């Protein structure tokens, strides 16, 4: 069985657990892998409806607070900058949302090459910040980086070449924000 087939099988197994999907015939559901770096992300088609199933990658629970993630996803949806959250399991992190038609997962390359990306990102962030959304946590970029580095220090991995240099250069930004 290929990795893609294993992923599809895992997605189908997760779908069977969902209260919203329990009555559906498996043969009536089309599942397609979309991608994701740390998560397994799938498009789920059923009867003209399209969803996204996100299954967290192994080990992500070490640095992602699922309760905060669920609340942030719901607040972003309420603010109109993210799709509706149809299911979120805070224990596993499995999430189902509506599919956003023609959505593109952004990468640094796509952010640079797709015309208008920075402007659209700014508009979305402004809309979120002006929405009155309430979050139970505070996004602190450098504290998160420090936390990620602490998690990584316990692993047998090598950071990319030049990573420490970038961190040193970012210290001026950290100082300015403080």
């Amino acid at each position: 069985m290929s990795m893609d087939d294993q992923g599809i099988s895992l997605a189908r197994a997760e779908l069977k657990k969902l209260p919203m999907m329990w009555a559906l015939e498996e043969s009536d559901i089309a599942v397609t892998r979309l991608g994701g770096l740390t998560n397994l992300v799938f498009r789920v088609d059923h009867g003209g409806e399209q969803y996204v199933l996100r299954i967290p990658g192994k080990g992500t629970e070490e640095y992602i607070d699922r309760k905060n993630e669920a609340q942030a996803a719901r607040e972003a949806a309420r603010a109109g900058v993210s799709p509706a959250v149809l299911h979120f399991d805070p224990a596993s992190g499995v999430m189902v949302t509506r599919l956003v038609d023609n959505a593109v997962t952004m990468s640094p390359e796509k952010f640079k090459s797709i015309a208008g990306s920075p402007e659209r990102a700014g508009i979305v962030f402004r809309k979120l910040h002006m929405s009155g959304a309430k979050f139970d946590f505070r996004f602190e970029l450098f504290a998160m980086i420090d936390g990620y580095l602490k998690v990584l220090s316990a692993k047998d991995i090598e950071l990319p070449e030049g990573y420490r240099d970038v961190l040193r250069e970012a210290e001026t930004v950290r100082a300015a924000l403080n």
Side-chain angles (χ1 to χ4, degrees), residues 52-153:
V52 172
L53 168 68
R54 191 284 311 270
I55 302 171
K58 290 182 181 177
T60 56
E61 68 281 353
E62 291 183 62
Y63 54 89
I64 296 175
D65 182 318
R66 298 292 176 206
K67 181 180 172 225
N68 287 343
E69 182 184 37
Q71 192 230 2
R74 288 187 177 107
E75 284 293 305
R78 188 179 64 73
V81 299
S82 186
V85 177
L86 304 174
H87 172 81
F88 194 103
D89 180 348
S92 69
V94 169
M95 179 167 55
V96 178
T97 64
R98 294 269 180 216
L99 177 75
V100 175
D101 288 328
N102 303 313
V104 175
T105 300
M106 296 305 279
S107 65
E109 295 78 26
K110 287 182 181 174
F111 198 75
K112 290 177 191 173
S113 66
I114 298 175
S117 293
E119 180 182 0
R120 283 190 303 278
I123 290 167
V124 167
F125 278 122
R126 183 166 200 259
K127 184 174 182 180
L128 178 62
H129 284 258
M130 301 300 286
S131 73
K134 302 286 185 213
F135 299 94
D136 292 335
F137 65 98
R138 184 174 163 95
F139 179 82
E140 297 282 351
L141 176 63
F142 290 104
M144 289 176 69
I145 291 170
D146 293 343
Y148 294 158
L149 288 172
K150 185 176 179 179
V151 169
L152 291 174
S153 70

Side-chain angles (χ1 to χ4, degrees), residues 26-67:
E26 189 172 347
S27 61
D28 293 338
I29 300 171
V31 180
T32 309
R33 177 78 195 270
L34 293 177
L37 293 175
T38 57
N39 303 310
L40 297 172
V41 183
F42 303 90
R43 177 183 174 135
V44 178
D45 292 277
H46 177 266
E49 297 289 328
Q50 294 88 35
Y51 309 95
V52 172
L53 168 68
R54 191 284 311 270
I55 302 171
K58 290 182 181 177
T60 56
E61 68 281 353
E62 291 183 62
Y63 54 89
I64 296 175
D65 182 318
R66 298 292 176 206
K67 181 180 172 225

